[in-house]
Amino acid sequence: ETLRKYPGLPFLNRECTLDYKVPESELVIRKGTQLVLPIYGFSMDKKYFPEPERYVPERFAEATKNYDEKAYYPFG
């Protein structure tokens, strides 16, 4: 939970390695395109983490898990 609220980096840089068509869109991300992922933005978005401003370590326990695992990047 600490790494969610206070990530080591606010964003990650990635390079697309294959052409990728975004589902339900006409957008294609071409191979070689540089991407910036806003880790802090994901971490504080209610869509992915209910009550994102609260410090709730229990949100990661198997019995009480209530977050979108695809939005959690504690170590990049």
Side-chain angles (χ1 to χ4, degrees), residues 16 18-35:
C16 187
L18 299 169
D19 286 355
Y20 177 77
K21 183 179 181 316
V22 178
E24 301 178 26
S25 169
E26 297 297 318
L27 179 65
V28 175
I29 302 172
R30 299 285 177 207
K31 178 180 178 178
T33 300
Q34 298 293 314
L35 303 168

Side-chain angles (χ1 to χ4, degrees), residues 3-60:
L3 289 172
R4 181 193 66 82
K5 284 196 68 159
Y6 309 103
L9 295 172
F11 58 87
L12 294 176
N13 295 319
R14 294 291 184 257
E15 180 176 325
C16 187
T17 59
L18 299 169
D19 286 355
Y20 177 77
K21 183 179 181 316
V22 178
E24 301 178 26
S25 169
E26 297 297 318
L27 179 65
V28 175
I29 302 172
R30 299 285 177 207
K31 178 180 178 178
T33 300
Q34 298 293 314
L35 303 168
V36 177
L37 304 173
I39 300 305
Y40 185 74
F42 293 146
S43 296
M44 298 307 286
D45 190 327
K46 292 177 186 178
K47 176 179 173 183
Y48 304 115
F49 296 93
E51 299 183 87
E53 63 287 339
R54 287 191 57 224
Y55 182 80
V56 185
E58 295 78 22
R59 83 171 75 232
F60 294 97

